[in-house]
Amino acid sequence: MPLGLGRRKKASPLVENEEAEPIRAGLNVPGMDGLDGGGVGLGEGTTQEGLPPPPTSLRPRLIFHTQLAHGSPTGRIEGFSNVRELYTKIGEAFGIAPPEVMFCTLNTHKVDMDKLLGGQIGLEDFIFAHIKGQRKEVEVFKGEDALGLTITDNGAGYAFIKRIREDSVVHQIQVINVGDMIESINGHSLIGCRHYEVAKMLKELPKGKDFVLKMVEPLKAFDMISQRSGGARAGSGTQLGTGKGTLRLRSKGPATVEELPSAFEEKATEKVDDLLESYMGIRDSELAATMVELGKDKKNPDEFAEALDETLGDFAFPDEFVFDVWGAIGDAKVGRL
């Protein structure tokens, strides 16, 4: 039965035998087909000039399909504006506590950091939730200044490993893997810390000494433990995120439906994300996109630096980094990237 606003009986959040398709329900909005007419706000504001916003009950419902990455029935979730609310909805759908959710990937159940859910979800994306699995404690000898780790976070208090550089200190330790959540360093809890704070702590650990990491790895399905050769399961192996719009999650305010980023924004965001990794040891596509948004209309680096201080002052970006980001945005504008 197709999903839609006209259903009288509330559907179960789990769909036992439904094909895992990213069906969008209730997108009965003029101009929403492909979103060629622009973005559609889901929160405060007006729909047309001079008209008040519609009542909440009449606003478009965006229903996403989701599964637990290690295997589960398909769930339906809706009504979230940020990552914490998303995790709460996932918890309600599957009967688990929201803090059990470590991170989500889009259109794949694998621990694929290139498909990590950030601040935007395509309207046709299928969400896979990775929950906590085995805990482990590892003693590491810091034989070099750099450990070879790139850190990201889930926006809800967990920092985890996004990338491990080959031939680095950590690369030699087989039990540390991409996707592992770093719970503590030398007994100091990192729950609630942002990625840049964790990266800074790791960088400041003294060279030539041991330190202890407590980590939690995501719960894996059997076919994720051993390398799989191409078996298909519901919701995987297919490019599902083909819609022409995205739901943008915000830490403050309602989520909004927007057009896909332009070619300039994609190029600039990718380059800024690379600079974040180079300078700070983190990757955060949403942070990079925010910096591009702040800088694309600024006339000079000073204006850009002021905008960064006002909006992202907690990061305390070094001047050299800000100048390089400004240059990357400028290069993307003229197509030099």
Side-chain angles (χ1 to χ4, degrees):
M1 181 181 293
L3 304 176
L5 290 175
R7 294 175 69 97
R8 295 181 180 180
K9 184 178 179 181
K10 185 176 181 182
S12 166
L14 297 182
V15 188
E16 291 289 347
N17 296 312
E18 182 175 351
E19 183 179 359
E21 291 183 352
I23 301 173
R24 296 176 314 202
L27 298 183
N28 234 357
V29 184
M32 281 286 284
D33 187 13
L35 289 181
D36 292 332
V40 179
L42 297 182
E44 300 300 326
T46 58
T47 55
Q48 297 181 22
E49 188 173 355
L51 296 179
T56 303
S57 60
L58 297 181
R59 296 178 188 175
R61 290 173 61 200
L62 299 177
I63 297 180
F64 294 87
H65 279 61
T66 183
Q67 289 180 356
L68 300 180
H70 65 281
S72 75
T74 300
R76 299 185 183 98
I77 53 175
E78 61 176 308
F80 53 90
S81 290
N82 55 54
V83 171
R84 291 181 186 274
E85 291 179 6
L86 168 62
Y87 290 179
T88 297
K89 295 294 183 181
I90 291 172
E92 292 172 356
F94 296 107
I96 60 175
E100 288 298 302
V101 181
M102 292 175 59
F103 55 85
C104 295
T105 50
L106 299 176
N107 307 321
T108 179
H109 70 288
K110 295 181 179 180
V111 181
D112 184 345
M113 294 293 106
D114 291 331
K115 303 293 180 63
L116 191 67
L117 186 152
Q120 294 190 348
I121 306 173
L123 297 183
E124 294 185 353
D125 281 339
F126 196 104
I127 302 171
F128 288 90
H130 299 253
I131 67 172
K132 291 179 180 177
Q134 181 178 349
R135 280 182 161 78
K136 51 194 176 185
E137 182 173 314
V138 184
E139 186 173 287
V140 181
F141 177 74
K142 190 175 182 181
E144 301 177 13
D145 290 326
L147 293 168
L149 292 177
T150 297
I151 307 299
T152 190
D153 64 46
N154 67 355
Y158 295 160
F160 54 93
I161 298 171
K162 186 167 186 179
R163 184 177 296 174
I164 299 174
R165 194 180 71 244
E166 288 189 11
D167 299 324
S168 63
V169 171
V170 172
H171 189 253
Q172 312 304 319
I173 306 173
Q174 298 300 315
V175 295
I176 299 179
N177 299 300
V178 167
D180 288 351
M181 186 259 284
I182 304 177
E183 199 169 40
S184 70
I185 300 174
N186 288 336
H188 177 76
S189 175
L190 302 179
I191 304 302
C193 292
R194 293 300 313 276
H195 45 26
Y196 65 93
E197 295 174 307
V198 176
K200 185 172 183 288
M201 291 180 197
L202 290 170
K203 185 177 181 180
E204 291 176 348
L205 289 169
K207 181 180 175 181
K209 293 189 176 182
D210 293 325
F211 65 95
V212 176
L213 290 175
K214 286 187 178 180
M215 295 175 292
V216 182
E217 64 182 40
L219 187 61
K220 297 180 177 69
F222 179 76
D223 64 0
M224 295 163 67
I225 297 173
S226 59
Q227 291 295 324
R228 50 194 230 153
S229 57
R233 61 177 274 179
S236 68
T238 318
Q239 256 330 91
L240 298 176
T242 56
K244 292 186 178 179
T246 62
L247 178 69
R248 182 162 186 176
L249 308 180
R250 303 178 186 278
S251 57
K252 297 180 181 178
T256 55
V257 177
E258 301 177 351
E259 292 181 328
L260 290 173
S262 66
F264 149 70
E265 290 169 329
E266 285 187 345
K267 290 179 181 179
T269 299
E270 182 180 357
K271 183 60 178 176
V272 173
D273 206 13
D274 289 342
L275 289 170
L276 282 169
E277 181 174 21
S278 176
Y279 276 88
M280 303 179 67
I282 64 174
R283 288 194 77 88
D284 187 332
S285 58
E286 183 61 17
L287 173 61
T290 299
M291 298 180 75
V292 171
E293 184 70 23
L294 290 172
K296 66 181 182 181
D297 296 325
K298 298 299 181 289
K299 297 178 180 178
N300 56 62
D302 290 336
E303 287 187 7
F304 177 51
E306 289 179 8
L308 288 179
D309 287 341
E310 291 175 3
T311 307
L312 301 169
D314 290 344
F315 287 88
F317 297 120
D319 292 342
E320 183 181 0
F321 170 74
V322 172
F323 188 79
D324 283 352
V325 170
W326 169 258
I329 295 172
D331 287 345
K333 284 182 180 179
V334 297
R336 288 201 294 262
L337 290 181

